[in-house]
Amino acid sequence: MPSSFEFILLGVSFLLLVSILASKVSSRLGIPSLLLFLGVGMLAGSDGPGGFHFDDPRLVQSFGVVALACILFSGGLDTSWRSVRPVIRQGLSLSTLGVLITALLMGWFAVTFLDFSLFEGFVLGAIISSTDAAAVFAVLRSRSVCLRGNLKPLLELESGSNDPMAVFLTTGFIMLVTQPAANPWALVPLAVWQMACGAAVGYLLGRGGVILVNRLRLEYDGLYPVLTLTLVLLTYGVAAVVGGNGFLAVYVTGIVMGNSDFVHKKSLTRFHDGLAWLMQIAMFLILGLQVYPSRLVPIVGVGLAAAAFLMLVARPASVFIALAATGLSLREKLMVSWVGLRGAVPIILGTFPFLSGMAMADTIFHIVFFIVFTSALLQGASLPLAARWLGLEDPCPPGRRVRLDFESLDQGRGDLVEVEIPADSFAVGRQIVELGLPQGTLVVLITRQDDFVVPSGGTVLAAGDVLHFLARHEVLAEVQALLSRKGAP
């Protein structure tokens, strides 16, 4: 006779499978797949057909911290320093000043219109102050929409770096609610210390992680994912113990490692990408189970008003103030303002008031849930339309027709790179031997429309050819610039 544990395993695997299949539906509907994961959890919960009772905010928060650390590390691994460097000032302004302004404006709204106390309102504002651009890019990819200029790296940097500020503001304002005698101005030096310490710990452990992975030379390749996952948990733990921001530390560690060379880099990046998706799906399923839809009904009006204020007032105001001294155009600022989807982080932070004993904890959690759901649904569905209306949509590059992977078994000094030959490139109609590629470069395959060509020195290149070449890092930029050159060499 199957035990209750076996039934739980069956139920969990079934929910995960349904969530994965739901991601296919989200591509066609043009809404973030994470919302469907959330819906699956709500249907399985105590108020849904599933009837599974789950009410454990402490477990949700503990699992949420681990899940968020894994998600941020994966985001850091995928962040190219070369692409975000031109927008570093704008991105950090959005992730700090922008988050603070959003929290304060939403706090004012809660105090003025929702009858919250001052710091209770700021708690609500802080919880929903960070964005989830990962959901944005999922929508844009599913609808084949690409953004012009540096908007994509700007949104990537903001989404990856604004969560630590939201976590700090949430815990700080909760402290002011539960400890009325605390000095609000004491949060300022605390914020500086947490951010500086978290960034320092993240950088040091990131550099140390690269050295460790390259020099440890484990006997079994399967232990490398275990090693990097351990590094994620170690980074968060060390930063938290010394008083730093653990989430910022994990994100910085990911950036440092992602922009360095280490053994099994591509396979480890794919592992952490898959782990991040698993954590997001599990987190949203758990959050869906934690929510009681019957408690959402009385706050529909309040939730709609708060979501509208966030989307139409708080987010745009924070973006325009944070980006006031930058060179972004009005249309670009409007697009960044509309790309303000809220994701898992606000709902995870929504469990914090429960554990602190705040009287408004249940109300705050369900308002936050409603805001996240409404914002992601309305803004997510309208993002492609907004990009076209503002004239910020660019043609997306053709999808990858042939998948080639190059995995260095040592501390790699080269990489396998794809470059498409533009129609106006000097390389069109020329043989590979005539290109003058730098020493240390090898063309290993050419993708041509729906076919592939095994190259030789006499192979003549055509417009639209995708060259897969192996090159040392020091000549990658030279090769890419050479193939993009117009006219005669």
Side-chain angles (χ1 to χ4, degrees):
M1 190 71 181
S3 66
S4 58
F5 176 71
E6 291 166 336
F7 278 115
I8 292 176
L9 287 181
L10 177 63
V12 169
S13 60
F14 177 75
L15 290 178
L16 288 173
L17 179 60
V18 170
S19 299
I20 294 171
L21 296 177
S23 66
K24 295 289 293 183
V25 178
S26 72
S27 299
R28 299 180 180 180
L29 298 179
I31 60 176
S33 56
L34 300 183
L35 286 184
L36 296 183
F37 304 155
L38 198 59
V40 171
M42 293 173 65
L43 291 174
S46 56
D47 276 1
F52 181 77
H53 179 75
F54 180 81
D55 187 9
D56 192 342
R58 183 174 296 278
L59 176 61
V60 173
Q61 185 192 76
S62 300
F63 181 78
V65 167
V66 176
L68 183 54
C70 293
I71 292 169
L72 286 174
F73 180 76
S74 176
L77 280 179
D78 288 331
T79 299
S80 169
W81 179 249
R82 179 181 301 175
S83 64
V84 302
R85 184 166 51 188
V87 295
I88 186 71
R89 184 168 62 90
Q90 298 97 313
L92 293 181
S93 180
L94 283 173
S95 63
T96 53
L97 180 60
V99 169
L100 177 61
I101 294 173
T102 300
L104 295 179
L105 288 176
M106 286 303 301
W108 171 84
F109 177 85
V111 172
T112 305
F113 299 100
L114 306 184
D115 199 29
F116 277 51
S117 69
L118 180 62
F119 292 126
E120 285 176 341
F122 288 152
V123 169
L124 174 62
I127 289 173
I128 52 88
S129 60
S130 65
T131 62
D132 184 2
V136 175
F137 297 127
V139 173
L140 295 178
R141 282 194 299 268
S142 67
R143 305 288 286 275
S144 299
V145 177
C146 294
L147 297 178
R148 183 173 301 172
N150 287 326
L151 286 178
K152 184 177 183 294
L154 174 60
L155 294 170
E156 284 180 340
L157 180 60
E158 180 201 9
S159 65
S161 58
N162 64 6
D163 294 334
M165 184 67 173
V167 173
F168 169 77
L169 291 177
T170 300
T171 55
F173 286 132
I174 288 177
M175 180 190 72
L176 296 178
V177 172
T178 56
Q179 303 176 24
N183 181 11
W185 293 107
L187 294 179
V188 176
L190 181 61
V192 174
W193 169 255
Q194 283 198 5
M195 298 302 173
C197 185
V201 169
Y203 178 79
L204 292 175
L205 289 183
R207 300 296 297 177
V210 171
I211 296 173
L212 183 63
V213 172
N214 283 329
R215 296 187 178 180
L216 198 55
R217 300 186 182 276
L218 297 172
E219 295 295 329
Y220 304 100
D221 290 349
L223 287 176
Y224 283 97
V226 180
L227 175 61
T228 52
L229 178 58
T230 302
L231 182 64
V232 173
L233 303 178
L234 176 66
T235 301
Y236 181 88
V238 170
V241 167
V242 299
N245 190 299
F247 296 114
L248 179 60
V250 168
Y251 181 63
V252 172
T253 297
I255 291 179
V256 171
M257 295 192 66
N259 289 273
S260 304
D261 296 319
F262 56 89
V263 178
H264 301 299
K265 180 177 180 179
K266 289 190 176 181
S267 61
L268 289 173
T269 300
R270 287 197 295 269
F271 165 78
H272 283 282
D273 182 55
L275 180 63
W277 270 108
L278 175 61
M279 290 297 179
Q280 290 186 76
I281 293 174
M283 195 68 249
F284 268 74
L285 287 175
I286 292 175
L287 293 172
L289 293 172
Q290 182 74 28
V291 169
Y292 290 82
S294 59
R295 300 181 189 176
L296 294 175
V297 176
I299 63 167
V300 167
V302 170
L304 282 174
F309 183 82
L310 173 65
M311 291 185 290
L312 301 177
V313 180
R315 170 67 176 179
S318 65
V319 169
F320 274 79
I321 294 174
L323 300 180
T326 64
L328 269 69
S329 66
L330 174 63
R331 291 183 300 166
E332 289 173 325
K333 292 177 183 177
L334 288 173
M335 189 64 201
V336 174
S337 299
W338 196 242
V339 183
L341 276 72
R342 268 55 190 172
V345 176
I347 306 181
I348 293 172
L349 296 180
T351 64
F352 283 34
F354 281 108
L355 303 182
S356 65
M358 285 181 58
M360 299 287 287
D362 189 74
T363 301
I364 289 175
F365 181 79
H366 284 84
I367 290 178
V368 168
F369 179 89
F370 194 90
I371 291 174
V372 170
F373 192 90
T374 306
S375 170
L377 180 63
L378 297 181
Q379 290 178 300
S382 61
L383 279 179
L385 179 62
R388 286 190 290 271
W389 183 69
L390 292 172
L392 296 173
E393 182 182 9
D394 259 358
C396 291
R400 190 176 186 178
R401 301 180 182 91
V402 178
R403 183 177 185 89
L404 292 178
D405 283 322
F406 168 74
E407 190 70 73
S408 173
L409 298 179
D410 204 339
Q411 188 169 355
R413 296 180 180 177
D415 204 355
L416 187 65
V417 182
E418 299 177 8
V419 174
E420 182 176 358
I421 303 297
D424 57 355
S425 171
F426 88 92
V428 174
R430 294 176 182 263
Q431 297 178 350
I432 294 179
V433 72
E434 298 176 313
L435 298 181
L437 294 173
Q439 188 175 4
T441 304
L442 175 66
V443 180
V444 296
L445 188 70
I446 299 175
T447 305
R448 181 171 293 170
Q449 296 180 354
D450 295 327
D451 200 359
F452 65 89
V453 177
V454 178
S456 66
T459 302
V460 178
L461 300 178
D465 282 356
V466 178
L467 271 62
H468 307 257
F469 63 88
L470 184 64
R472 293 184 176 275
H473 292 298
E474 56 265 25
V475 300
L476 282 178
E478 181 182 349
V479 173
Q480 292 170 326
L482 176 67
L483 296 178
S484 300
R485 186 184 303 167
K486 301 179 182 179

